[in-house]
Amino acid sequence: MHIAYVCADPGIPVFGAKGASVHVQDMVRAMRRLGHEVTLIARRLGGTAPADLDDLDLARLPRTSGLTGAARESALIGHDPHVTALLSGLPGVDLVYERHSLWSAAAMGWAAAEGLPSVLEVNAPLVEEQAAHRGLVDRGTAMSMAREAMGRAGLVLCVSEPVAAHARAMGVEADRVLVEENGVDPVRFGALAPRRAPMEGTPFVVGFLGTLKPWHGTATLLEAVSRLRAEGRDVVIRIVGDGPERPALEEQARGAGLAGAVTFAGTVAPALVPSHLQEMHVGVAPYPPLHGFYFSPLKVLDYMAAGLPVVASRTGTLPELLREGCFGRLTEPGDAAALARALAAKMDDYPAALARAAEARVHALAERSWDGIAARALAAARPGIAEACAA
């Protein structure tokens, strides 16, 4: 089957290291492993393709470099017909898959007009997210185009139940909605060295993976580790990722006397993430209290796939993902004292933490692989595709 994968979001460099970028790459890999031909239509590449995707067929949408505010929104609305033109020029498209983005409705419309199956992958209530965190001028048109894209999609694939509720509130019938939380790449995390306890005389490494933005709660992690060090525990922090919060976190670390105990590794290529996680003893997802938590955190799945013990906030889908503590310890969002106690518990009985992490790794690789997610989504969008591939 020839799949046209559309990512028109100017904020997602499809070959970059952001979580959304990795999501695109891993879904494309999964589709190809299932035997499908994929053409990627993207606005922003963010560098060269990883080696295993360097033969991927690419089509480029126009950029909006240098534009801001209303001018940028107007340009993106005006670019929507380019999607139609690119799709019309592709030979033998069998299915259109789009990562939902603001100001993009043409892909789902083209598939409907051609009588082709289609999947619209929705990761967030984008209009509300844009208005809250980045600024939105033409809210009316943004909402209208989002409704249009969802209304024309054959299947709306949502990464969490709160996102599915948002889709239904936008008018999507329940039988066109499928919930599939994010997954892991079984190839990238397939072969890892056995994980060990810290050697005597070496520090316990608490890790964080992800973009440094306020809603990830990294400041709470620094406060928790500061408490542990005040108790005399030999613990350090390794942060893998970058973002606008880094200067504030560096200042917080200096103010708390943690400057020598915090390593900022910066952004790393997705292929190198498993090796960075191997240098940690526990992975943390310290989300603060957030209204309407709708994320499906990739970092927690990566921790699980790496066999890394997990401590995460009790919010959103995390209690279910971590089986109410069986696969990782849960703490109340934003509570640094509780997070410190949870980390101390991991340190005090690390063999037990490793045993639970090993079970979580087996579960993540078996049940949450991108291959399985892609297969289920494509089968729902085009019944009979699984049998066709097997033949």
Side-chain angles (χ1 to χ4, degrees):
M1 183 165 69
H2 182 191
I3 299 172
Y5 187 121
V6 180
C7 181
D9 193 329
I12 300 178
V14 293
F15 296 142
K18 295 174 63 174
S21 308
V22 176
H23 190 165
V24 172
Q25 294 165 37
D26 283 345
M27 186 59 91
V28 168
R29 289 188 178 99
M31 291 173 176
R32 283 159 53 108
R33 282 197 291 264
L34 291 171
H36 303 301
E37 175 189 355
V38 180
T39 297
L40 178 58
I41 297 175
R43 190 178 305 280
R44 186 176 166 200
L45 298 186
T48 57
D52 63 332
L53 295 178
D54 65 1
D55 61 340
L56 186 66
D57 290 327
L58 283 172
R60 298 290 303 278
L61 291 166
R63 296 288 305 275
T64 57
S65 303
L67 298 178
T68 60
R72 184 171 183 265
E73 293 179 6
S74 180
L76 289 168
I77 294 168
H79 288 172
D80 210 26
H82 287 278
V83 176
T84 302
L86 288 173
L87 287 168
S88 299
L90 295 178
V93 173
D94 298 299
L95 183 146
V96 179
Y97 186 103
E98 180 175 24
R99 183 184 172 98
H100 180 45
S101 63
L102 287 178
W103 323 114
S104 178
M108 294 296 102
W110 182 83
E114 295 292 320
L116 294 174
S118 59
V119 179
L120 184 68
E121 177 197 289
V122 182
N123 291 273
L126 293 182
V127 175
E128 302 304 327
E129 191 175 81
Q130 182 77 11
H133 300 296
R134 303 179 190 92
L136 181 63
V137 179
D138 190 352
R139 183 188 181 90
T141 301
M143 187 63 78
S144 174
M145 293 183 74
R147 289 185 189 278
E148 181 180 348
M150 293 186 193
R152 293 182 175 179
L155 178 73
V156 178
L157 179 65
C158 301
V159 297
S160 68
E161 180 51 42
V163 173
H166 162 70
R168 292 190 291 270
M170 293 284 280
V172 181
E173 302 87 347
D175 62 356
R176 286 196 297 121
V177 176
L178 176 66
V179 177
E180 285 283 355
E181 295 186 23
N182 283 330
V184 297
D185 183 349
V187 175
R188 189 160 62 246
F189 289 98
L192 298 175
R195 188 170 291 280
R196 308 290 186 195
M199 296 179 63
E200 187 172 351
T202 62
F204 188 88
V205 181
V206 175
F208 174 88
L209 170 68
T211 306
L212 301 179
K213 292 185 176 178
W215 54 86
H216 286 168
T218 320
T220 303
L221 173 60
L222 265 62
E223 184 181 344
V225 169
S226 180
R227 288 170 180 260
L228 292 172
R229 289 177 64 85
E231 296 172 0
R233 292 179 180 269
D234 188 9
V235 54
V236 299
I237 304 176
R238 182 172 184 80
I239 295 175
V240 177
D242 215 332
E245 284 292 291
R246 179 167 173 171
L249 292 169
E250 290 175 332
E251 180 60 32
Q252 180 185 351
R254 285 192 292 271
L258 288 173
V262 182
T263 300
F264 290 89
T267 300
V268 304
L272 300 178
V273 165
S275 63
H276 280 269
L277 297 186
Q278 284 292 96
E279 298 176 8
M280 304 173 183
H281 297 114
V282 62
V284 181
Y287 289 102
L290 295 170
H291 176 68
F293 188 100
Y294 51 79
F295 306 107
S296 176
L298 284 166
K299 65 171 60 62
V300 176
L301 285 155
D302 283 354
Y303 296 156
M304 292 171 66
L308 182 64
V310 179
V311 175
S313 296
R314 181 182 292 280
T315 186
T317 60
L318 290 176
E320 182 179 358
L321 178 63
L322 294 174
R323 299 285 176 89
E324 284 293 340
C326 290
F327 289 158
R329 188 171 285 264
L330 294 161
T331 65
E332 293 307 309
D335 188 337
L339 178 55
R341 290 194 296 272
L343 292 171
K346 293 286 187 188
M347 298 175 71
D348 292 343
D349 192 359
Y350 198 63
L354 285 179
R356 284 192 288 273
E359 294 175 1
R361 171 173 156 81
V362 170
H363 171 79
L365 294 178
E367 304 295 332
R368 299 306 313 163
S369 79
W370 287 116
D371 300 50
I373 293 168
R376 291 190 291 272
L378 297 178
R382 185 180 174 185
I385 186 61
E387 292 79 3
C389 287

